[in-house]
Amino acid sequence: MVGLELCLLLSVLVWLLLSAPPRPSLTTTPDLSRLTDEIQGRLSGLIIDPVIEVKPGVFVRSSNVRGFHYEGNVYYYYIEGVPNYDPLSRGLLRPDQVEIMLRDDSGEQTIVIYRVQ
């Protein structure tokens, strides 16, 4: 009797694993160097990115809070070692809910770029 129940349980488990819908894939990965250039342009002021007040006396680029659209996706970023106001840094997202696209440490500041899965 226990063997029959075990076989039934295993067959249900296999069925569930095989019939689960595939995880939706994100669109193709963009050219990451161009994506980095987009962020560097925003941080340097070459690309218009208005500053917004996130709390009294604290102003940040709107792209740091809201992300920015690039090739059909919304990307977010944070700069390591400084306060950030992106959704991941504010705790609105968990690390398992984002896909880290790039950790760029080639400049003065390390920038981490991600998108929501």
Side-chain angles (χ1 to χ4, degrees), residues 6-23:
L6 184 59
C7 286
L8 180 62
L9 182 62
L10 286 174
S11 63
V12 169
L13 179 62
V14 168
W15 177 77
L16 285 173
L17 291 174
L18 294 177
S19 66
R23 186 177 192 167

Side-chain angles (χ1 to χ4, degrees), residues 62-115:
S62 65
S63 63
N64 186 237
V65 176
R66 300 181 183 128
F68 64 95
H69 290 272
Y70 180 74
E71 292 188 1
N73 289 298
V74 178
Y75 292 91
Y76 300 90
Y77 65 92
Y78 62 87
I79 302 167
E80 290 185 344
V82 299
N84 291 282
Y85 295 93
D86 61 285
L88 186 59
S89 296
R90 288 184 289 153
L92 300 175
L93 295 171
R94 297 183 318 269
D96 66 330
Q97 293 177 299
V98 302
E99 177 184 14
I100 302 293
M101 303 301 297
L102 178 67
R103 184 177 183 273
D104 180 17
D105 56 2
S106 63
E108 293 178 20
Q109 302 171 311
T110 300
I111 299 171
V112 177
I113 304 168
Y114 67 92
R115 62 185 173 184

Side-chain angles (χ1 to χ4, degrees), residues 1-70:
M1 185 68 167
V2 173
L4 183 60
E5 289 176 352
L6 184 59
C7 286
L8 180 62
L9 182 62
L10 286 174
S11 63
V12 169
L13 179 62
V14 168
W15 177 77
L16 285 173
L17 291 174
L18 294 177
S19 66
R23 186 177 192 167
S25 64
L26 297 171
T27 58
T28 59
T29 301
D31 178 2
L32 296 178
S33 63
R34 290 185 57 213
L35 188 56
T36 302
D37 291 344
E38 285 282 324
I39 293 172
Q40 292 292 353
R42 284 170 166 71
L43 294 174
S44 69
L46 292 175
I47 296 175
I48 297 174
D49 187 9
V51 293
I52 58 174
E53 189 172 22
V54 291
K55 58 184 181 181
V58 178
F59 295 88
V60 298
R61 301 245 176 238
S62 65
S63 63
N64 186 237
V65 176
R66 300 181 183 128
F68 64 95
H69 290 272
Y70 180 74

